[in-house]
Short mmCIF file of all heavy atoms in Angstrom, two decimals:
data_model
loop_
_atom_site.label_atom_id
_atom_site.label_comp_id
_atom_site.label_asym_id
_atom_site.label_seq_id
_atom_site.Cartn_x
_atom_site.Cartn_y
_atom_site.Cartn_z
N ALA A 1 31.34 -80.99 68.16
CA ALA A 1 31.15 -82.26 67.46
C ALA A 1 31.09 -83.38 68.47
O ALA A 1 31.92 -83.47 69.36
CB ALA A 1 32.27 -82.46 66.48
N ALA A 2 30.10 -84.24 68.31
CA ALA A 2 29.89 -85.34 69.25
C ALA A 2 30.43 -86.67 68.72
O ALA A 2 30.61 -87.60 69.49
CB ALA A 2 28.40 -85.47 69.56
N THR A 3 30.71 -86.74 67.42
CA THR A 3 31.19 -88.01 66.83
C THR A 3 32.37 -87.70 65.91
O THR A 3 32.62 -86.55 65.53
CB THR A 3 30.09 -88.69 65.99
OG1 THR A 3 29.81 -87.87 64.85
CG2 THR A 3 28.83 -88.92 66.81
N ASN A 4 33.10 -88.75 65.52
CA ASN A 4 34.21 -88.58 64.58
C ASN A 4 33.70 -88.02 63.25
O ASN A 4 34.34 -87.16 62.64
CB ASN A 4 34.93 -89.90 64.33
CG ASN A 4 35.81 -90.29 65.50
OD1 ASN A 4 36.20 -89.45 66.30
ND2 ASN A 4 36.11 -91.57 65.60
N GLU A 5 32.55 -88.51 62.79
CA GLU A 5 31.99 -88.02 61.53
C GLU A 5 31.71 -86.53 61.61
O GLU A 5 32.02 -85.78 60.67
CB GLU A 5 30.71 -88.78 61.18
CG GLU A 5 30.12 -88.36 59.85
CD GLU A 5 28.84 -89.10 59.52
OE1 GLU A 5 28.28 -89.80 60.38
OE2 GLU A 5 28.40 -88.95 58.36
N GLN A 6 31.15 -86.08 62.72
CA GLN A 6 30.89 -84.65 62.89
C GLN A 6 32.19 -83.87 62.97
O GLN A 6 32.31 -82.79 62.39
CB GLN A 6 30.04 -84.41 64.13
CG GLN A 6 28.62 -84.89 63.99
CD GLN A 6 27.84 -84.75 65.29
OE1 GLN A 6 28.39 -84.45 66.35
NE2 GLN A 6 26.53 -85.00 65.20
N SER A 7 33.17 -84.41 63.66
CA SER A 7 34.47 -83.73 63.79
C SER A 7 35.12 -83.51 62.44
O SER A 7 35.75 -82.49 62.19
CB SER A 7 35.42 -84.54 64.67
OG SER A 7 34.98 -84.55 66.00
N GLU A 8 34.97 -84.49 61.53
CA GLU A 8 35.55 -84.37 60.20
C GLU A 8 34.92 -83.24 59.39
O GLU A 8 35.53 -82.72 58.46
CB GLU A 8 35.40 -85.69 59.45
CG GLU A 8 36.25 -86.80 60.03
CD GLU A 8 35.93 -88.16 59.43
OE1 GLU A 8 35.12 -88.23 58.47
OE2 GLU A 8 36.50 -89.15 59.92
N LYS A 9 33.72 -82.84 59.74
CA LYS A 9 33.01 -81.80 58.99
C LYS A 9 33.27 -80.39 59.52
O LYS A 9 33.00 -79.42 58.83
CB LYS A 9 31.49 -82.05 59.02
CG LYS A 9 31.08 -83.40 58.49
CD LYS A 9 31.48 -83.61 57.06
CE LYS A 9 31.00 -84.96 56.58
NZ LYS A 9 31.77 -85.50 55.51
N VAL A 10 33.80 -80.28 60.73
CA VAL A 10 34.06 -78.96 61.30
C VAL A 10 35.00 -78.20 60.39
O VAL A 10 36.06 -78.70 60.01
CB VAL A 10 34.64 -79.08 62.73
CG1 VAL A 10 35.12 -77.73 63.24
CG2 VAL A 10 33.62 -79.69 63.67
N GLY A 11 34.62 -76.99 60.02
CA GLY A 11 35.42 -76.17 59.14
C GLY A 11 35.13 -76.40 57.67
O GLY A 11 35.69 -75.73 56.82
N ASN A 12 34.28 -77.36 57.35
CA ASN A 12 33.98 -77.63 55.94
C ASN A 12 32.48 -77.78 55.72
O ASN A 12 32.06 -78.48 54.80
CB ASN A 12 34.72 -78.88 55.46
CG ASN A 12 34.70 -79.00 53.95
OD1 ASN A 12 34.63 -78.02 53.24
ND2 ASN A 12 34.75 -80.21 53.47
N GLN A 13 31.69 -77.13 56.53
CA GLN A 13 30.24 -77.24 56.41
C GLN A 13 29.74 -76.71 55.08
O GLN A 13 28.67 -77.08 54.62
CB GLN A 13 29.53 -76.49 57.55
CG GLN A 13 29.80 -77.05 58.92
CD GLN A 13 31.00 -76.43 59.59
OE1 GLN A 13 32.00 -76.14 58.96
NE2 GLN A 13 30.93 -76.25 60.89
N THR A 14 30.49 -75.83 54.46
CA THR A 14 30.02 -75.18 53.23
C THR A 14 30.83 -75.58 52.01
O THR A 14 30.76 -74.92 50.98
CB THR A 14 30.09 -73.66 53.39
OG1 THR A 14 31.46 -73.30 53.57
CG2 THR A 14 29.25 -73.18 54.55
N GLY A 15 31.60 -76.63 52.12
CA GLY A 15 32.40 -77.08 50.97
C GLY A 15 33.46 -76.08 50.56
O GLY A 15 33.84 -75.99 49.40
N GLY A 16 33.97 -75.31 51.51
CA GLY A 16 35.04 -74.36 51.23
C GLY A 16 34.59 -73.00 50.74
O GLY A 16 35.41 -72.19 50.32
N ARG A 17 33.30 -72.73 50.80
CA ARG A 17 32.77 -71.44 50.36
C ARG A 17 32.56 -70.51 51.56
O ARG A 17 32.31 -70.96 52.66
CB ARG A 17 31.44 -71.62 49.62
CG ARG A 17 31.60 -72.38 48.32
CD ARG A 17 30.30 -72.48 47.58
NE ARG A 17 29.68 -71.19 47.37
CZ ARG A 17 29.79 -70.44 46.28
NH1 ARG A 17 30.52 -70.87 45.28
NH2 ARG A 17 29.18 -69.28 46.18
N VAL A 18 32.66 -69.21 51.30
CA VAL A 18 32.37 -68.21 52.33
C VAL A 18 30.88 -68.26 52.66
O VAL A 18 30.05 -68.33 51.76
CB VAL A 18 32.74 -66.79 51.85
CG1 VAL A 18 32.25 -65.74 52.83
CG2 VAL A 18 34.23 -66.67 51.62
N PHE A 19 30.56 -68.26 53.96
CA PHE A 19 29.15 -68.18 54.34
C PHE A 19 28.93 -67.26 55.53
O PHE A 19 27.81 -67.08 55.99
CB PHE A 19 28.55 -69.57 54.62
CG PHE A 19 28.92 -70.18 55.93
CD1 PHE A 19 27.97 -70.32 56.94
CD2 PHE A 19 30.20 -70.64 56.17
CE1 PHE A 19 28.30 -70.90 58.16
CE2 PHE A 19 30.53 -71.24 57.37
CZ PHE A 19 29.58 -71.36 58.37
N LEU A 20 30.00 -66.65 56.01
CA LEU A 20 29.90 -65.71 57.12
C LEU A 20 30.43 -64.35 56.65
O LEU A 20 31.39 -64.28 55.89
CB LEU A 20 30.73 -66.21 58.31
CG LEU A 20 30.29 -67.57 58.85
CD1 LEU A 20 31.38 -68.17 59.72
CD2 LEU A 20 29.00 -67.43 59.62
N PHE A 21 29.77 -63.29 57.11
CA PHE A 21 30.09 -61.96 56.63
C PHE A 21 30.25 -61.01 57.82
O PHE A 21 29.39 -60.97 58.69
CB PHE A 21 28.99 -61.45 55.70
CG PHE A 21 28.78 -62.38 54.54
CD1 PHE A 21 27.87 -63.42 54.64
CD2 PHE A 21 29.51 -62.24 53.38
CE1 PHE A 21 27.69 -64.31 53.58
CE2 PHE A 21 29.34 -63.13 52.32
CZ PHE A 21 28.42 -64.16 52.43
N LEU A 22 31.35 -60.28 57.82
CA LEU A 22 31.63 -59.30 58.86
C LEU A 22 31.68 -57.93 58.20
O LEU A 22 32.61 -57.62 57.44
CB LEU A 22 32.96 -59.61 59.55
CG LEU A 22 33.39 -58.69 60.67
CD1 LEU A 22 32.37 -58.68 61.80
CD2 LEU A 22 34.76 -59.10 61.20
N ASN A 23 30.65 -57.14 58.43
CA ASN A 23 30.58 -55.79 57.87
C ASN A 23 31.31 -54.82 58.78
O ASN A 23 31.24 -54.93 60.00
CB ASN A 23 29.13 -55.36 57.71
CG ASN A 23 28.45 -56.10 56.58
OD1 ASN A 23 28.80 -55.91 55.42
ND2 ASN A 23 27.51 -56.95 56.91
N THR A 24 32.00 -53.86 58.18
CA THR A 24 32.76 -52.88 58.93
C THR A 24 32.55 -51.48 58.36
O THR A 24 32.25 -51.33 57.18
CB THR A 24 34.27 -53.22 58.91
OG1 THR A 24 34.97 -52.21 59.65
CG2 THR A 24 34.84 -53.30 57.51
N ASP A 25 32.75 -50.49 59.20
CA ASP A 25 32.72 -49.11 58.74
C ASP A 25 34.14 -48.56 58.56
O ASP A 25 34.34 -47.41 58.19
CB ASP A 25 31.93 -48.22 59.70
CG ASP A 25 32.54 -48.15 61.09
OD1 ASP A 25 33.48 -48.92 61.38
OD2 ASP A 25 32.08 -47.33 61.89
N ASP A 26 35.15 -49.40 58.85
CA ASP A 26 36.56 -49.01 58.70
C ASP A 26 37.37 -50.25 58.31
O ASP A 26 37.95 -50.93 59.15
CB ASP A 26 37.09 -48.40 59.99
CG ASP A 26 38.47 -47.80 59.85
OD1 ASP A 26 39.22 -48.19 58.93
OD2 ASP A 26 38.81 -46.93 60.66
N PHE A 27 37.40 -50.52 57.02
CA PHE A 27 38.06 -51.73 56.51
C PHE A 27 39.52 -51.78 56.92
O PHE A 27 40.00 -52.81 57.39
CB PHE A 27 37.93 -51.79 54.99
CG PHE A 27 38.47 -53.06 54.41
CD1 PHE A 27 37.63 -54.14 54.19
CD2 PHE A 27 39.81 -53.18 54.10
CE1 PHE A 27 38.12 -55.33 53.68
CE2 PHE A 27 40.31 -54.36 53.58
CZ PHE A 27 39.47 -55.44 53.37
N GLU A 28 40.24 -50.71 56.71
CA GLU A 28 41.69 -50.71 56.98
C GLU A 28 41.98 -51.03 58.44
O GLU A 28 42.88 -51.81 58.74
CB GLU A 28 42.31 -49.37 56.58
CG GLU A 28 42.18 -49.05 55.11
CD GLU A 28 42.71 -50.13 54.18
OE1 GLU A 28 43.72 -50.79 54.51
OE2 GLU A 28 42.11 -50.32 53.10
N ARG A 29 41.24 -50.45 59.35
CA ARG A 29 41.42 -50.72 60.79
C ARG A 29 41.20 -52.19 61.09
O ARG A 29 42.04 -52.84 61.73
CB ARG A 29 40.44 -49.87 61.60
CG ARG A 29 40.46 -50.17 63.10
CD ARG A 29 39.22 -49.67 63.81
NE ARG A 29 38.03 -50.38 63.32
CZ ARG A 29 36.81 -49.85 63.26
NH1 ARG A 29 36.60 -48.60 63.62
NH2 ARG A 29 35.80 -50.56 62.81
N ASP A 30 40.10 -52.74 60.61
CA ASP A 30 39.76 -54.12 60.95
C ASP A 30 40.63 -55.12 60.21
O ASP A 30 40.98 -56.17 60.77
CB ASP A 30 38.27 -54.37 60.70
CG ASP A 30 37.42 -53.56 61.67
OD1 ASP A 30 37.91 -53.24 62.78
OD2 ASP A 30 36.27 -53.24 61.33
N TYR A 31 41.02 -54.81 58.99
CA TYR A 31 41.94 -55.69 58.27
C TYR A 31 43.29 -55.73 58.97
O TYR A 31 43.88 -56.80 59.15
CB TYR A 31 42.09 -55.24 56.81
CG TYR A 31 42.95 -56.16 56.00
CD1 TYR A 31 42.50 -57.43 55.64
CD2 TYR A 31 44.23 -55.78 55.61
CE1 TYR A 31 43.30 -58.28 54.91
CE2 TYR A 31 45.04 -56.63 54.88
CZ TYR A 31 44.57 -57.88 54.53
OH TYR A 31 45.36 -58.74 53.81
N GLN A 32 43.77 -54.57 59.40
CA GLN A 32 45.04 -54.52 60.13
C GLN A 32 44.94 -55.32 61.43
O GLN A 32 45.89 -55.99 61.82
CB GLN A 32 45.46 -53.08 60.41
CG GLN A 32 46.85 -52.97 61.01
CD GLN A 32 47.93 -53.53 60.10
OE1 GLN A 32 48.00 -53.16 58.93
NE2 GLN A 32 48.77 -54.42 60.62
N ASN A 33 43.80 -55.27 62.08
CA ASN A 33 43.60 -56.05 63.31
C ASN A 33 43.71 -57.55 63.02
O ASN A 33 44.30 -58.29 63.81
CB ASN A 33 42.24 -55.71 63.93
CG ASN A 33 42.06 -56.35 65.28
OD1 ASN A 33 42.94 -56.31 66.13
ND2 ASN A 33 40.90 -56.96 65.48
N LEU A 34 43.14 -57.99 61.90
CA LEU A 34 43.29 -59.40 61.51
C LEU A 34 44.76 -59.75 61.33
O LEU A 34 45.23 -60.78 61.83
CB LEU A 34 42.52 -59.68 60.22
CG LEU A 34 41.00 -59.57 60.27
CD1 LEU A 34 40.42 -59.72 58.88
CD2 LEU A 34 40.41 -60.61 61.21
N LEU A 35 45.49 -58.89 60.61
CA LEU A 35 46.91 -59.15 60.39
C LEU A 35 47.69 -59.16 61.70
O LEU A 35 48.53 -60.05 61.93
CB LEU A 35 47.50 -58.08 59.45
CG LEU A 35 46.96 -58.06 58.03
CD1 LEU A 35 47.55 -56.86 57.27
CD2 LEU A 35 47.24 -59.36 57.30
N ASP A 36 47.42 -58.19 62.55
CA ASP A 36 48.13 -58.09 63.84
C ASP A 36 47.91 -59.33 64.70
O ASP A 36 48.78 -59.69 65.49
CB ASP A 36 47.68 -56.85 64.61
CG ASP A 36 48.12 -55.55 63.97
OD1 ASP A 36 48.98 -55.58 63.05
OD2 ASP A 36 47.59 -54.49 64.37
N ASN A 37 46.75 -59.95 64.54
CA ASN A 37 46.42 -61.14 65.34
C ASN A 37 46.70 -62.44 64.60
O ASN A 37 46.25 -63.50 65.02
CB ASN A 37 44.97 -61.06 65.80
CG ASN A 37 44.82 -60.07 66.92
OD1 ASN A 37 45.18 -60.33 68.05
ND2 ASN A 37 44.32 -58.87 66.59
N LYS A 38 47.45 -62.33 63.49
CA LYS A 38 47.90 -63.48 62.72
C LYS A 38 46.76 -64.38 62.23
O LYS A 38 46.88 -65.59 62.18
CB LYS A 38 48.94 -64.28 63.50
CG LYS A 38 50.16 -63.45 63.84
CD LYS A 38 51.22 -64.23 64.51
CE LYS A 38 52.47 -63.49 64.85
NZ LYS A 38 52.55 -62.08 64.82
N VAL A 39 45.64 -63.72 61.90
CA VAL A 39 44.51 -64.44 61.31
C VAL A 39 44.89 -64.82 59.89
O VAL A 39 45.52 -64.03 59.17
CB VAL A 39 43.24 -63.55 61.34
CG1 VAL A 39 42.10 -64.19 60.56
CG2 VAL A 39 42.83 -63.28 62.78
N GLU A 40 44.52 -66.02 59.48
CA GLU A 40 44.86 -66.50 58.14
C GLU A 40 44.03 -65.76 57.09
O GLU A 40 42.81 -65.85 57.06
CB GLU A 40 44.60 -68.00 58.03
CG GLU A 40 44.96 -68.56 56.68
CD GLU A 40 44.66 -70.04 56.54
OE1 GLU A 40 44.08 -70.64 57.47
OE2 GLU A 40 44.99 -70.58 55.47
N ILE A 41 44.73 -65.04 56.22
CA ILE A 41 44.08 -64.33 55.13
C ILE A 41 44.05 -65.27 53.93
O ILE A 41 45.09 -65.76 53.48
CB ILE A 41 44.83 -63.03 54.77
CG1 ILE A 41 44.96 -62.12 55.99
CG2 ILE A 41 44.16 -62.32 53.60
CD1 ILE A 41 43.65 -61.70 56.63
N ILE A 42 42.86 -65.53 53.43
CA ILE A 42 42.68 -66.43 52.30
C ILE A 42 42.75 -65.67 50.98
O ILE A 42 43.33 -66.14 50.01
CB ILE A 42 41.32 -67.16 52.40
CG1 ILE A 42 41.20 -67.91 53.73
CG2 ILE A 42 41.09 -68.08 51.21
CD1 ILE A 42 42.26 -68.98 53.96
N ARG A 43 42.17 -64.49 50.94
CA ARG A 43 42.22 -63.64 49.75
C ARG A 43 42.47 -62.21 50.19
O ARG A 43 41.72 -61.66 51.00
CB ARG A 43 40.92 -63.73 48.95
CG ARG A 43 41.04 -63.05 47.58
CD ARG A 43 39.80 -63.20 46.74
NE ARG A 43 38.79 -62.28 47.27
CZ ARG A 43 37.50 -62.40 47.05
NH1 ARG A 43 37.02 -63.39 46.35
NH2 ARG A 43 36.66 -61.52 47.55
N GLU A 44 43.50 -61.61 49.64
CA GLU A 44 43.87 -60.24 49.96
C GLU A 44 42.72 -59.29 49.57
O GLU A 44 41.89 -59.64 48.73
CB GLU A 44 45.14 -59.85 49.21
CG GLU A 44 46.36 -60.67 49.60
CD GLU A 44 46.83 -60.42 51.02
OE1 GLU A 44 46.77 -59.26 51.49
OE2 GLU A 44 47.26 -61.38 51.67
N PRO A 45 42.70 -58.09 50.14
CA PRO A 45 41.63 -57.15 49.84
C PRO A 45 41.55 -56.82 48.34
O PRO A 45 42.57 -56.66 47.68
CB PRO A 45 42.03 -55.89 50.62
CG PRO A 45 42.92 -56.38 51.70
CD PRO A 45 43.65 -57.56 51.13
N ILE A 46 40.32 -56.75 47.88
CA ILE A 46 40.05 -56.31 46.52
C ILE A 46 38.86 -55.36 46.56
O ILE A 46 38.06 -55.39 47.49
CB ILE A 46 39.79 -57.47 45.54
CG1 ILE A 46 38.59 -58.30 45.97
CG2 ILE A 46 41.02 -58.33 45.37
CD1 ILE A 46 38.17 -59.34 44.95
N LEU A 47 38.75 -54.55 45.53
CA LEU A 47 37.64 -53.63 45.41
C LEU A 47 36.64 -54.23 44.42
O LEU A 47 36.97 -54.50 43.27
CB LEU A 47 38.12 -52.27 44.92
CG LEU A 47 37.13 -51.13 45.01
CD1 LEU A 47 36.60 -50.95 46.43
CD2 LEU A 47 37.78 -49.85 44.53
N GLU A 48 35.44 -54.46 44.90
CA GLU A 48 34.34 -54.97 44.09
C GLU A 48 33.33 -53.84 43.90
O GLU A 48 33.42 -52.82 44.56
CB GLU A 48 33.65 -56.15 44.79
CG GLU A 48 34.53 -57.37 45.01
CD GLU A 48 34.71 -58.20 43.74
OE1 GLU A 48 34.19 -57.83 42.67
OE2 GLU A 48 35.39 -59.24 43.83
N ALA A 49 32.36 -54.05 43.04
CA ALA A 49 31.33 -53.04 42.81
C ALA A 49 30.58 -52.69 44.10
O ALA A 49 30.18 -51.55 44.31
CB ALA A 49 30.35 -53.52 41.75
N TYR A 50 30.42 -53.67 44.99
CA TYR A 50 29.67 -53.47 46.23
C TYR A 50 30.52 -52.97 47.38
O TYR A 50 30.00 -52.61 48.44
CB TYR A 50 28.95 -54.76 46.65
CG TYR A 50 29.88 -55.95 46.78
CD1 TYR A 50 30.59 -56.18 47.93
CD2 TYR A 50 30.01 -56.85 45.72
CE1 TYR A 50 31.45 -57.26 48.05
CE2 TYR A 50 30.85 -57.94 45.83
CZ TYR A 50 31.58 -58.15 46.99
OH TYR A 50 32.41 -59.23 47.10
N GLY A 51 31.86 -52.96 47.22
CA GLY A 51 32.72 -52.45 48.27
C GLY A 51 34.06 -53.17 48.33
O GLY A 51 34.41 -53.94 47.45
N LYS A 52 34.80 -52.90 49.38
CA LYS A 52 36.10 -53.54 49.60
C LYS A 52 35.89 -54.81 50.40
O LYS A 52 35.13 -54.83 51.37
CB LYS A 52 37.03 -52.60 50.37
CG LYS A 52 38.46 -53.11 50.46
CD LYS A 52 39.34 -52.13 51.17
CE LYS A 52 39.99 -51.24 50.17
NZ LYS A 52 41.06 -50.42 50.78
N VAL A 53 36.58 -55.90 49.99
CA VAL A 53 36.36 -57.19 50.63
C VAL A 53 37.67 -57.98 50.69
O VAL A 53 38.51 -57.89 49.80
CB VAL A 53 35.27 -58.01 49.89
CG1 VAL A 53 35.67 -58.30 48.47
CG2 VAL A 53 34.92 -59.28 50.63
N ALA A 54 37.84 -58.72 51.77
CA ALA A 54 38.92 -59.69 51.93
C ALA A 54 38.31 -60.93 52.56
O ALA A 54 37.30 -60.86 53.26
CB ALA A 54 40.02 -59.14 52.82
N VAL A 55 38.93 -62.07 52.31
CA VAL A 55 38.45 -63.34 52.87
C VAL A 55 39.46 -63.82 53.90
O VAL A 55 40.67 -63.83 53.64
CB VAL A 55 38.26 -64.40 51.77
CG1 VAL A 55 37.79 -65.72 52.37
CG2 VAL A 55 37.28 -63.92 50.71
N PHE A 56 38.95 -64.22 55.07
CA PHE A 56 39.82 -64.78 56.10
C PHE A 56 39.18 -66.03 56.69
O PHE A 56 37.99 -66.27 56.54
CB PHE A 56 40.13 -63.75 57.19
CG PHE A 56 38.95 -63.32 58.02
CD1 PHE A 56 38.70 -63.93 59.25
CD2 PHE A 56 38.11 -62.30 57.61
CE1 PHE A 56 37.63 -63.53 60.04
CE2 PHE A 56 37.04 -61.89 58.39
CZ PHE A 56 36.80 -62.51 59.61
N ALA A 57 40.01 -66.83 57.36
CA ALA A 57 39.54 -68.06 57.99
C ALA A 57 39.58 -67.89 59.50
O ALA A 57 40.53 -67.33 60.05
CB ALA A 57 40.41 -69.24 57.59
N ASP A 58 38.54 -68.41 60.17
CA ASP A 58 38.55 -68.39 61.63
C ASP A 58 39.31 -69.63 62.14
O ASP A 58 39.85 -70.41 61.35
CB ASP A 58 37.14 -68.28 62.21
CG ASP A 58 36.24 -69.48 61.96
OD1 ASP A 58 36.74 -70.60 61.66
OD2 ASP A 58 35.01 -69.31 62.07
N ILE A 59 39.37 -69.79 63.44
CA ILE A 59 40.18 -70.88 64.02
C ILE A 59 39.63 -72.27 63.68
O ILE A 59 40.33 -73.26 63.86
CB ILE A 59 40.34 -70.73 65.55
CG1 ILE A 59 38.98 -70.79 66.25
CG2 ILE A 59 41.07 -69.44 65.88
CD1 ILE A 59 39.09 -70.81 67.77
N TYR A 60 38.41 -72.34 63.17
CA TYR A 60 37.82 -73.62 62.80
C TYR A 60 37.87 -73.87 61.30
O TYR A 60 37.38 -74.88 60.82
CB TYR A 60 36.36 -73.69 63.30
CG TYR A 60 36.26 -73.48 64.78
CD1 TYR A 60 35.78 -72.28 65.29
CD2 TYR A 60 36.70 -74.46 65.67
CE1 TYR A 60 35.71 -72.08 66.66
CE2 TYR A 60 36.64 -74.26 67.04
CZ TYR A 60 36.15 -73.06 67.52
OH TYR A 60 36.10 -72.85 68.88
N GLY A 61 38.43 -72.92 60.57
CA GLY A 61 38.52 -73.07 59.12
C GLY A 61 37.35 -72.50 58.35
O GLY A 61 37.31 -72.58 57.13
N ASN A 62 36.38 -71.91 59.06
CA ASN A 62 35.25 -71.28 58.37
C ASN A 62 35.75 -70.03 57.65
O ASN A 62 36.57 -69.28 58.18
CB ASN A 62 34.16 -70.87 59.38
CG ASN A 62 33.58 -72.07 60.08
OD1 ASN A 62 33.11 -73.01 59.46
ND2 ASN A 62 33.60 -72.04 61.40
N LEU A 63 35.23 -69.80 56.46
CA LEU A 63 35.64 -68.64 55.67
C LEU A 63 34.67 -67.48 55.87
O LEU A 63 33.45 -67.66 55.86
CB LEU A 63 35.71 -69.01 54.19
CG LEU A 63 36.70 -70.10 53.84
CD1 LEU A 63 36.72 -70.33 52.34
CD2 LEU A 63 38.09 -69.79 54.37
N TRP A 64 35.25 -66.31 56.06
CA TRP A 64 34.50 -65.07 56.29
C TRP A 64 34.89 -64.04 55.24
O TRP A 64 36.03 -64.00 54.79
CB TRP A 64 34.90 -64.47 57.64
CG TRP A 64 34.48 -65.19 58.85
CD1 TRP A 64 34.97 -66.37 59.33
CD2 TRP A 64 33.49 -64.77 59.78
NE1 TRP A 64 34.36 -66.70 60.50
CE2 TRP A 64 33.43 -65.73 60.81
CE3 TRP A 64 32.64 -63.67 59.85
CZ2 TRP A 64 32.57 -65.62 61.87
CZ3 TRP A 64 31.78 -63.56 60.92
CH2 TRP A 64 31.75 -64.53 61.92
N ASP A 65 33.93 -63.19 54.88
CA ASP A 65 34.22 -61.97 54.13
C ASP A 65 34.25 -60.81 55.12
O ASP A 65 33.32 -60.65 55.90
CB ASP A 65 33.12 -61.68 53.11
CG ASP A 65 33.30 -62.38 51.78
OD1 ASP A 65 34.34 -63.02 51.57
OD2 ASP A 65 32.38 -62.28 50.95
N LEU A 66 35.32 -60.04 55.09
CA LEU A 66 35.35 -58.74 55.76
C LEU A 66 34.97 -57.73 54.70
O LEU A 66 35.63 -57.65 53.66
CB LEU A 66 36.75 -58.43 56.31
CG LEU A 66 36.92 -57.04 56.91
CD1 LEU A 66 36.06 -56.87 58.16
CD2 LEU A 66 38.39 -56.76 57.21
N ILE A 67 33.90 -57.01 54.92
CA ILE A 67 33.34 -56.13 53.88
C ILE A 67 33.09 -54.72 54.42
O ILE A 67 32.50 -54.54 55.47
CB ILE A 67 31.98 -56.66 53.38
CG1 ILE A 67 32.12 -58.06 52.82
CG2 ILE A 67 31.39 -55.72 52.33
CD1 ILE A 67 30.78 -58.70 52.48
N GLU A 68 33.58 -53.75 53.66
CA GLU A 68 33.15 -52.37 53.86
C GLU A 68 32.34 -52.00 52.62
O GLU A 68 32.88 -51.92 51.52
CB GLU A 68 34.31 -51.40 54.04
CG GLU A 68 33.83 -49.99 54.31
CD GLU A 68 34.97 -49.02 54.62
OE1 GLU A 68 36.14 -49.36 54.43
OE2 GLU A 68 34.64 -47.90 55.04
N ARG A 69 31.06 -51.83 52.80
CA ARG A 69 30.15 -51.55 51.69
C ARG A 69 30.48 -50.23 51.03
O ARG A 69 30.85 -49.26 51.70
CB ARG A 69 28.70 -51.54 52.17
CG ARG A 69 28.24 -52.83 52.78
CD ARG A 69 27.81 -53.76 51.71
NE ARG A 69 27.43 -55.05 52.32
CZ ARG A 69 27.27 -56.14 51.62
NH1 ARG A 69 27.44 -56.13 50.32
NH2 ARG A 69 26.95 -57.27 52.20
N ALA A 70 30.33 -50.16 49.73
CA ALA A 70 30.61 -48.95 48.97
C ALA A 70 29.68 -47.82 49.35
O ALA A 70 30.03 -46.66 49.24
CB ALA A 70 30.51 -49.23 47.48
N ASP A 71 28.50 -48.16 49.87
CA ASP A 71 27.53 -47.13 50.21
C ASP A 71 27.68 -46.60 51.63
O ASP A 71 26.86 -45.85 52.10
CB ASP A 71 26.11 -47.64 50.01
CG ASP A 71 25.81 -48.92 50.80
OD1 ASP A 71 26.66 -49.36 51.58
OD2 ASP A 71 24.72 -49.48 50.61
N ASN A 72 28.79 -46.94 52.32
CA ASN A 72 29.05 -46.41 53.68
C ASN A 72 29.44 -44.96 53.62
O ASN A 72 30.05 -44.47 52.79
CB ASN A 72 30.14 -47.20 54.39
CG ASN A 72 29.56 -48.42 55.07
OD1 ASN A 72 28.35 -48.61 55.13
ND2 ASN A 72 30.44 -49.26 55.57
#
């Protein structure tokens, strides 16, 4: 961010919605890695029709889905 106005937007570019997706072939391994590294978990893992998903925040406040697709 080059200005105060830009700095205020960091972490809120999407109005608080998930816009980044991290696909995995081993949800439990990668979810545990997030926990071990004290990553902020926004929504605990749930099973959806498309697979297992949890929401976490990165160091800038961006929201990510960690997803293991059901078709893996």
Side-chain angles (χ1 to χ4, degrees):
T3 67
N4 285 338
E5 183 180 11
Q6 290 174 351
S7 292
E8 292 171 6
K9 303 299 182 206
V10 171
N12 193 28
Q13 295 90 323
T14 63
R17 294 183 54 96
V18 172
F19 77 110
L20 300 163
F21 303 90
L22 180 60
N23 288 293
T24 179
D25 63 350
D26 188 337
F27 185 93
E28 299 306 325
R29 175 198 64 211
D30 293 333
Y31 183 71
Q32 187 61 51
N33 187 46
L34 294 173
L35 295 175
D36 291 347
N37 285 284
K38 300 184 179 14
V39 172
E40 181 182 5
I41 303 301
I42 304 300
R43 190 177 76 200
E44 297 293 323
I46 60 172
L47 192 56
E48 296 282 2
Y50 55 84
K52 188 178 267 191
V53 62
V55 179
F56 66 96
D58 66 20
I59 62 174
Y60 303 106
N62 297 306
L63 299 182
W64 291 72
D65 274 354
L66 174 65
I67 301 173
E68 183 175 11
R69 300 276 177 194
D71 56 6
N72 275 352

